[in-house]
Amino acid sequence: MKRLIAIIPNVITLCNLLCGSLAIYSLFLADVSLRSTIALIVLAMVFDFFDGFVARLLHAESTLGGDLDSLSDLVSFGVAPILIVIHPFGFSLLTAIPLLIVVMLGAFRLARYNNESVHTSSFVGMPIPANALFWLGYALISADLYHEQAFSQHTFYFFTLMFSLLMGGMMVSRIKFLSLKGLTIKTVQGKRTIALWILLLILLLLLTVLFGIKSIAPFVLCYIVISCVSSFVFPKIEK
């Protein structure tokens, strides 16, 4: 029974990997819409949340589970989202550059996390699911603009390259990004973090009203800016 319980979180993690793999596979099917592919990535995020939650609940955390989670995250939140972006515009050596930047730096971010002995209440470097969210919103925005012929492929490539450098740089940075872990009102730092999350929630609601589901891309940019401000401008006060 204990062995069966220990397997449950890993099965959920594999569901994350399955969703990411199906998202990649769906890109090569002519009758699958962009939103259906994006829905698979969102479902992968749901599984990614619950595998850790279930592992802690069942006291089934393990090194194997952590490594499997990172491998699944790399596929679902590193490879799949950036492929969704560049797929409509064709594959070439140039379009491969943003893909390689995001995947390699995302892999480094995950490996570094697995080898850190202490995990604080904040993320050191932007978490890779935030990278996925940005590219999903970016894919929707760029698809609309491309169909409206609002910009050329060269312009698209320039912005995609710049944002891949930004997302990759944020993932491997040592900047402390806001996290929902260990939120408390007992410390000044905790109260500040809660206030910043409330601000982010308000921004998300406003952006959603203005741009709909495409708002997730500018929301991630707001998350980056607010996390940078929190990390560099505010002094760290524990009490």
Side-chain angles (χ1 to χ4, degrees):
M1 181 60 72
K2 288 185 178 180
R3 287 187 176 182
L4 180 61
I5 291 175
I7 291 174
I8 293 175
N10 292 340
V11 171
I12 299 174
T13 301
L14 289 174
C15 289
N16 167 9
L17 178 60
L18 175 63
C19 289
S21 300
L22 288 175
I24 295 172
Y25 178 71
S26 70
L27 294 174
F28 302 95
L29 301 177
D31 57 344
V32 178
S33 68
L34 173 62
R35 290 178 181 266
S36 297
T37 304
I38 289 175
L40 286 168
I41 303 299
V42 174
L43 184 58
M45 291 183 180
V46 174
F47 285 122
D48 182 54
F49 171 79
F50 279 105
D51 63 359
F53 175 79
V54 171
R56 290 187 294 271
L57 183 66
L58 300 178
H59 302 289
E61 296 171 288
S62 66
T63 302
L64 172 64
D67 291 341
L68 184 61
D69 181 70
S70 292
L71 290 171
S72 300
D73 286 356
L74 182 61
V75 173
S76 297
F77 310 138
V79 179
I82 190 66
L83 277 179
I84 292 173
V85 170
I86 66 177
H87 176 261
F89 303 91
F91 295 102
S92 67
L93 289 176
L94 284 178
T95 56
I97 295 175
L99 169 66
L100 294 174
I101 291 172
V102 171
V103 172
M104 289 191 297
L105 296 183
F108 181 86
R109 163 69 171 80
L110 292 166
R112 185 181 68 187
Y113 178 84
N114 282 356
N115 285 275
E116 288 178 339
S117 58
V118 178
H119 295 144
T120 64
S121 58
S122 58
F123 294 113
V124 178
M126 185 180 71
I128 197 168
N131 167 77
L133 284 174
F134 172 80
W135 290 116
L136 297 184
Y138 182 84
L140 292 169
I141 294 171
S142 60
D144 287 348
L145 292 176
Y146 185 75
H147 290 313
E148 295 171 2
Q149 298 183 339
F151 59 75
S152 66
Q153 286 199 15
H154 294 292
T155 304
F156 160 77
Y157 176 76
F158 173 77
F159 281 107
T160 302
L161 179 60
M162 292 301 102
F163 280 122
S164 67
L165 290 170
L166 174 63
M167 294 298 120
M170 289 296 100
M171 284 191 289
V172 300
S173 71
R174 302 301 298 185
I175 298 171
K176 293 185 177 180
F177 278 75
L178 297 178
S179 170
L180 294 172
K181 297 179 180 179
L183 287 181
T184 177
I185 61 172
K186 295 181 179 180
T187 65
V188 173
Q189 185 73 16
K191 292 176 182 177
R192 179 183 297 139
T193 301
I194 293 173
L196 291 175
W197 273 116
I198 293 173
L199 174 60
L200 277 170
L201 179 59
I202 293 172
L203 288 172
L204 176 60
L205 293 174
L206 291 174
L207 289 169
T208 302
V209 170
L210 293 173
F211 305 110
I213 191 173
K214 290 178 284 188
S215 64
I216 54 178
F219 171 73
V220 173
L221 294 179
C222 291
Y223 173 64
I224 291 173
V225 171
I226 290 177
S227 292
C228 289
V229 170
S230 176
S231 182
F232 289 114
V233 176
F234 295 138
K236 183 176 180 182
I237 303 174
E238 297 294 343
K239 296 182 180 180

